[in-house]
């Protein structure tokens, strides 16, 4: 029935550029694209489909809340390297080359080294983690990510006692990312965590979603997922992880320090000048729902911040 | 003249077509993964476009020597108000779901909301007094003075847009330049005519 096994179809091929722009070819290719697209894009098909990661270990961290559809998650992105409108990244990242790929892990570590994406995929057993994901713009999604705790990667390089923070850096290449020059923020995008935050088991080094590899617009091939923090902390398309002594800069904080803090933990009690943070809109729902402290992960992460004034350290 | 009526029969559907497009997309459940945000942005975009179009009528009729363009000004202005109402209603009803606590909170807390409100409320008296009866009742001069409120609305709309974007300021800058240019044209015109005819009280 299927023309291709969905596992053979890379995400970027679901609607190739030529098909997208050439109407005639588009019509000719319609049946195949339709079948392939439906298979990949419909969440109900996911369970039975053999994606890139057909067998993922279940995780106790997963929520039982209803997942958003892959269609929504893959067509509504903040990825400023590929445009500032939500519907730009899935079009402009179509040809983003994410293989081969290396991530350099360096700084205050005993064994600095570069990891190829193939090595990263094999470093630890991949788990499916169904997390809530809350954007600072007051929308949220529930996504089945694939990956493992960042701590597994950090264990490989052995942080020295001097390491107190972790600095992340995204890939940046202006010729591949022409839209970036209009974004109004500086690139490469950088983010940071305290070491204990980075070592927390919830902090996910993410290589996939919906049982398949990450689509380019969602931060392929490897990104962070920090479900208790606003989405912009979950840096995409990572090329460098550096362990450091001092608190590293994070892009949005350097742009607007009054609006975006270093910690940026989801906190309904700390308002943002543009968006209310006390409620959020789950994509697919009409009414707003209340936002939970630490995005509902307080039981797991609140102890990281005992004694801290979270209104000051927002 | 029948030609006049034809022209209006073209401009009216043209101004209405964005609303129809939105309704069509809504009917097909094709409003992006975040429909309320999409409707808010779409109606906001068309409000500011219609405001700019309204402001462009007077300069264009002078520059192009097409005085007849004036007959579209009221219609386009009312369309600006129409899209403004949709925009405001979307925020009030769909986004905030009539939650008065949230709404009043936003009025005092969020500067981009305050600027939007100034822009919107500035258009309200203009829409009310847009009829020929009101021009007669108020007298042309006073009516015209009142309708200069559109300058305030246009400027506040640009500020509203500038304050709400996160970092990519291209579009607010574009609308800001357009509004700036159209207001500058009026200033120059006014200064020029004052010099040319100093006797007019
Ligand atoms: C004449 C008056 C107004 C104009 C011309 C206007 C115009 C705009 C424009 C151009 C946008 C951005 C659209 C985009 O990003 O594509 C926008 C967004 C928005 N406007 Fe308005 N607006 C007006 C009044 C108001 C009022 C009165 C309110 C509420 C009280 C309001 C609330 C909003 C909200 C909530 C957004 C979205 C902000 C976001 O996405 O973060 N606007 N408006």
């Amino acid at each position: 029935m299927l023309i291709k096994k969905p596992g053979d179809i890379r995400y970027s091929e679901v609607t190739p550029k030529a098909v997208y722009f050439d109407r005639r070819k588009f019509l000719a290719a319609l049946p195949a694209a339709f079948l392939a697209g439906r298979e990949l894009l419909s969440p109900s098909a996911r369970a039975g489909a053999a994606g890139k990661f057909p067998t993922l270990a279940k995780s106790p961290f997963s929520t039982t809340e209803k997942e958003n559809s892959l269609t929504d998650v893959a067509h509504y992105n903040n990825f400023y390297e590929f445009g500032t409108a939500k519907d730009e990244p899935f079009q402009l990242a179509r040809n983003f080359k994410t293989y081969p790929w290396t991530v350099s892990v360096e700084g205050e570590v005993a064994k600095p080294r570069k990891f190829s994406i193939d090595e990263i995929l094999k470093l630890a057993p991949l788990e499916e983690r169904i997390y809530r994901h809350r954007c600072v713009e007051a929308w949220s999604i529930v996504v089945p990510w694939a990956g493992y705790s960042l701590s597994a990667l950090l264990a490989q390089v052995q942080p020295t006692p001097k390491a107190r923070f972790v600095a992340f850096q995204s890939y940046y290449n202006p010729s591949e990312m022409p839209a970036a020059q209009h974004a109004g923020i500086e690139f490469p995008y950088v983010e940071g965590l305290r070491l204990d935050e980075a070592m927390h088991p919830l902090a996910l080094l993410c290589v996939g979603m919906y049982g398949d590899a990450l689509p380019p617009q969602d931060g392929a091939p490897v990104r962070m997922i920090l479900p208790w923090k606003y989405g912009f902390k979950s840096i995409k398309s990572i090329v460098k992880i550096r362990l450091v002594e001092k608190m590293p800069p994070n892009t949005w904080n350097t742009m607007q320090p009054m609006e975006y803090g270093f910690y940026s933990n989801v906190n309904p009690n700390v308002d943002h000048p543009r968006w209310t943070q006390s409620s959020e809109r789950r994509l697919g729902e009409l009414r707003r729902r209340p936002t939970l402290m630490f995005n509902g992960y307080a039981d797991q992460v609140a102890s990281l911040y005992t004694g801290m004034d979270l209104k000051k350290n927002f | 003249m029948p030609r006049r009526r034809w022209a209006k029969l073209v401009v009216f559907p043209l101004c209405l077509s964005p609303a129809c497009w939105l309704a069509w997309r809504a009917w097909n459940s094709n409003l992006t993964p975040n429909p309320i945000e999409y409707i808010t942005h779409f109606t906001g975009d068309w409000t500011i476009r219609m405001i700019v179009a309204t402001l462009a009528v007077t300069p264009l009729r002078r520059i192009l020597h097409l005085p007849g363009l004036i007959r579209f000004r009221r219609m386009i202005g009312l369309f600006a108000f129409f899209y403004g109402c949709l925009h405001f209603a979307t925020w009030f009803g769909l986004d905030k779901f009539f939650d008065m606590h949230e709404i009043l909170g936003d009025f005092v807390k969020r500067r981009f909301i305050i600027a939007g409100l100034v822009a919107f409320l500035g258009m309200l008296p203009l829409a009310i007094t847009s009829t020929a009866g009101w021009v007669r009742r108020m007298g042309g001069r006073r009516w015209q003075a009142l309708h200069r409120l559109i300058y305030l609305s246009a400027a506040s709309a640009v500020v509203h847009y500038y304050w709400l974007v996160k970092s990519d300021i291209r579009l607010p800058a574009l609308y800001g330049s357009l509004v700036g240019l159209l207001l500058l044209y009026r200033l120059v015109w006014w200064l020029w005519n004052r010099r040319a005819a100093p006797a007019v009280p």
Side-chain angles (χ1 to χ4, degrees):
Chain A
M1 235 182 53
L2 273 176
I3 292 162
K4 272 179 161 185
K5 238 175 51 219
D8 296 332
I9 305 167
R10 285 186 34 197
Y11 198 89
S12 56
E13 290 166 4
V14 171
T15 316
K17 199 175 177 183
V19 172
Y20 195 75
F21 289 114
D22 185 328
R23 203 178 137 75
R24 257 198 215 166
K25 271 197 218 140
F26 175 78
L27 290 176
L30 202 54
F34 178 69
L35 283 175
R38 211 175 47 165
E39 186 68 20
L40 267 179
L41 292 177
S42 116
S44 56
R46 181 174 72 88
K52 188 169 178 194
F53 311 123
T55 50
L56 290 168
K58 296 240 173 304
S59 163
F61 293 130
S62 286
T63 170
T64 52
E65 285 172 65
K66 187 169 169 280
E67 291 169 18
N68 281 93
S69 70
L70 171 55
T71 318
D72 280 3
V73 175
H75 291 85
Y76 190 80
N77 306 98
N78 276 329
F79 196 171
Y80 275 26
E81 287 86 336
F82 294 108
T84 55
K86 299 277 187 306
D87 59 354
E88 278 178 315
F90 81 85
Q91 302 171 55
L92 300 180
R94 223 174 272 276
N95 298 318
F96 179 30
K97 240 185 117 232
T98 57
Y99 191 89
W101 190 274
T102 49
V103 180
S104 171
V105 188
E106 54 187 55
E108 297 293 348
V109 294
K111 295 181 171 169
R113 61 169 278 208
K114 288 184 162 60
F115 295 85
S116 74
I117 188 66
D118 295 319
E119 289 171 311
I120 288 176
L121 287 172
K122 287 192 218 109
L123 203 89
L126 295 179
E127 298 165 31
E128 175 158 274
R129 301 240 187 123
I130 307 170
Y131 280 165
R132 290 178 292 276
H133 185 75
R134 165 67 155 80
C135 179
V136 72
E137 297 164 349
W139 52 269
S140 65
I141 45 182
V142 175
V143 183
W145 306 106
Y148 48 78
S149 297
L150 175 68
S151 56
L153 179 78
L154 296 182
Q156 296 276 319
V157 295
Q158 299 172 10
T160 68
K162 272 187 163 178
R164 290 188 51 231
F165 292 92
V166 185
F168 300 86
Q169 185 181 315
S170 284
Y171 178 80
Y172 181 54
N173 177 356
S175 66
E176 251 179 300
M177 300 162 157
Q181 61 179 306
H182 304 297
I185 63 173
E186 269 175 50
F187 296 112
Y189 193 86
V190 291
E191 258 306 336
L193 293 172
R194 235 170 39 197
L195 185 59
D196 58 342
E197 296 179 308
M199 295 298 286
H200 193 283
L202 269 184
L204 183 72
L205 189 72
C206 171
V207 293
M209 61 188 217
Y210 296 91
D212 216 325
L214 285 169
Q217 66 271 29
D218 284 281
V222 56
R223 64 174 296 177
M224 286 304 299
I225 293 293
L226 303 155
W228 72 97
K229 292 174 179 285
Y230 293 122
F232 67 88
K233 293 292 293 181
S234 295
I235 187 168
K236 299 189 174 81
S237 304
I238 299 170
V239 291
K240 197 194 285 185
I241 299 177
R242 195 175 172 79
L243 286 98
V244 293
E245 234 185 312
K246 296 214 177 77
M247 186 183 276
N250 57 317
T251 299
W252 281 103
N253 173 252
T254 43
M255 296 301 303
Q256 273 133 358
M258 302 302 292
E259 298 187 23
Y260 311 97
F262 173 80
Y263 290 98
S264 288
N265 294 317
V266 174
N267 188 342
N269 309 313
V270 174
D271 206 29
H272 186 278
R274 297 152 210 266
W275 311 283
T276 175
Q277 297 302 23
S278 60
S279 66
E280 68 200 48
R281 180 164 295 108
R282 180 72 47 86
L283 295 195
E285 294 178 358
L286 218 54
R287 296 288 299 266
R288 284 168 175 270
R289 52 164 70 210
T291 289
L292 306 174
M293 188 67 203
F294 297 115
N295 199 23
Y297 295 96
D299 286 349
Q300 289 89 353
V301 299
S303 59
L304 290 171
Y305 309 102
T306 35
M308 274 174 70
D309 181 350
L310 295 175
K311 289 214 159 111
K312 270 196 204 118
N313 299 288
F314 58 89
Chain B
M1 260 202 286
R3 235 186 88 226
R4 286 197 173 177
R5 237 185 283 135
W6 276 114
K8 272 201 181 172
L9 280 179
V10 172
V11 176
F12 187 88
L14 216 59
C15 290
L16 194 62
S17 58
C20 296
W21 168 246
L22 186 64
W24 171 250
R25 289 191 60 150
W27 175 256
N28 287 294
S29 311
N30 183 22
L31 293 175
T32 80
N34 195 346
I36 295 177
E37 181 190 71
Y38 180 77
I39 298 170
T40 307
H41 286 185
F42 186 91
T43 52
D45 286 340
W46 282 100
T47 311
I48 200 164
R49 284 171 196 157
M50 290 292 168
I51 290 177
V52 170
T54 313
L55 279 180
V57 169
T58 297
L60 283 182
R61 57 191 280 260
R62 291 195 192 127
I63 293 166
L64 302 176
H65 300 291
L66 286 172
L69 284 182
I70 190 70
R71 66 185 183 280
F72 301 122
R73 193 174 63 181
R74 177 171 69 184
M75 190 200 287
I76 302 174
L78 282 171
F79 266 109
F81 183 66
F82 168 67
Y83 284 106
C85 288
L86 290 182
H87 184 60
F88 184 66
T90 306
W91 178 79
F92 200 95
L94 290 179
D95 190 358
K96 298 289 164 181
F97 224 88
F98 309 102
D99 181 337
M100 284 320 286
H101 181 73
E102 276 268 322
I103 286 170
L104 295 176
D106 272 14
F107 282 168
V108 293
K109 267 191 303 206
R110 301 191 203 289
R111 54 180 193 174
F112 88 92
I113 293 286
I114 297 169
L117 211 60
V118 169
F120 181 65
L121 293 179
M123 292 201 294
L124 191 63
L126 312 195
I128 293 170
T129 62
S130 65
T131 59
W134 271 101
V135 182
R136 216 176 332 101
R137 244 168 291 167
M138 292 182 70
R141 192 174 286 263
R142 269 169 58 208
W143 186 89
Q144 259 202 332
L146 175 70
H147 280 245
R148 292 213 176 93
L149 260 182
I150 191 68
Y151 305 160
L152 175 73
S153 277
S156 309
V158 168
V159 172
H160 169 66
Y161 201 173
Y162 179 74
W163 275 344
L164 74 87
V165 294
K166 273 159 69 185
S167 62
D168 179 355
I169 58 160
R170 275 175 300 163
L171 284 171
L174 172 72
Y175 288 113
S177 317
L178 287 173
V179 168
L181 223 71
L182 292 168
L183 294 188
L184 188 69
Y185 172 88
R186 286 170 166 80
L187 182 69
V188 171
W189 176 269
W190 179 75
L191 287 172
W192 184 263
N193 282 303
R194 205 172 57 147
R195 225 187 40 186
V200 173

